[in-house]
Amino acid sequence: MANERSMISRLPFIIWLIIALPLTCLAKPGSIDRGGSISKEEFKSIVEHCESELPKLWTALQSVKDQGVDIKISNEKMQSPGKASGTDRIVLSSRFITDNLPSFPEDRLIIVLYHEFGHIVFNRNTPRNKRNPVKNEFAAFSYSLIVAKKMAMAGDYGPLEQVTSNLVRRQKTGNQRQKKAPHTLALNELIGNELWEECIALLNEKVE
C-alpha cells in the first residue's frame, strides 16, 4: 500500500513535464465532430453556441483537438458531461454545452474537458500493464488541477475555483457512499498533497 501511494504521489511531476510542452504537439491534429444522432444542422448550431456563449470552452476544445484528440459532441445518454477512451477520443454531452445548466457553468465544463484529457495523457504515457483505475483518476484530477492553476496564474481564477470546490464536495460524498471507489481513493490522495496546497495558496492570495 505504501508503494502504491508513493507511485501515485509521483504522478503530478510527470504531468508537469507533459503540460510544460508546447500545446501543439507532434501528434496529428484531431477533430471536433458530431456524435450520436445529432444532425449536421444541430451540430452547426451547437458549435455556434459554443463559440459565442462559451468562448473559453471553445478555445480549450481547440487546444485539446490540436493535441491529437478526436472530440465527439453527442446527444447519446451519458451519466456525466464527458468520457474519454483510449489515447485519442473524448465524447462530450451536447446537453451540458447547450442547456446552460446552473451546476455546470463554463469554467466547470473546461475542467471536465481537461479531466478527460488527463485520462488520455495518462494512457498515452503509461504502458497497459502499469495502469489501474486509481492511478488513472489521480492523473486526470491532477491534470485538470494543473491546467486550472496555470489559468489562475495568468489571471483567470474561475476554473481553479470550480475544480477545488467541486473536488472537495466529491471527496466528502465519496467517503460517505463509495469509500473504495477509484475516484474517492484518488481524491483522498490528491487533496492535501503539494499540488493541492499550491492551488489553495493561490486562491488565498487572490482573496487577500
Side-chain angles (χ1 to χ4, degrees), residues 80-197:
S80 60
K83 182 174 177 57
S85 61
T87 59
D88 60 3
R89 179 180 169 85
I90 293 175
V91 178
L92 297 176
S93 170
S94 60
R95 182 172 71 89
F96 287 86
I97 295 174
T98 61
D99 288 5
N100 298 317
L101 301 174
S103 58
F104 280 90
E106 182 177 23
D107 287 330
R108 188 173 182 184
L109 293 176
I110 289 169
I111 293 302
V112 168
L113 175 65
Y114 281 117
H115 175 91
E116 299 307 328
F117 184 57
H119 284 301
I120 287 175
V121 170
F122 177 80
N123 290 338
R124 286 178 175 178
N125 291 277
T126 309
R128 285 184 178 274
N129 63 350
K130 299 292 185 182
R131 300 176 195 170
N132 72 46
V134 178
K135 291 181 186 178
N136 203 312
E137 290 301 335
F138 182 86
F141 285 131
S142 297
Y143 193 93
S144 65
L145 200 59
I146 291 168
V147 173
K149 179 184 176 185
K150 289 171 71 72
M151 294 178 74
M153 292 174 71
D156 184 358
Y157 288 84
L160 188 59
E161 290 170 341
Q162 281 290 320
V163 68
T164 51
S165 62
N166 283 302
L167 292 189
V168 167
R169 189 180 307 115
R170 190 166 184 180
Q171 181 198 33
K172 182 178 179 180
T173 301
N175 282 324
Q176 290 172 344
R177 303 176 185 174
Q178 296 178 308
K179 290 185 178 181
K180 297 295 180 67
H183 289 83
T184 305
L185 296 174
L187 285 173
N188 286 341
E189 188 70 30
L190 176 69
I191 293 177
N193 74 1
E194 182 179 351
L195 171 62
W196 180 267
E197 292 302 327

Side-chain angles (χ1 to χ4, degrees), residues 21-27 29 62-63 66-68:
L21 296 174
L23 288 179
T24 303
C25 63
L26 297 177
Q62 294 293 328
S63 172
D66 289 343
Q67 295 182 73

Side-chain angles (χ1 to χ4, degrees), residues 70-74 76 78 81-84 89-93:
D70 293 322
I71 301 170
K72 297 288 186 183
I73 298 176
S74 175
E76 63 186 89
M78 297 173 61
K83 182 174 177 57
R89 179 180 169 85
I90 293 175
V91 178
L92 297 176
S93 170

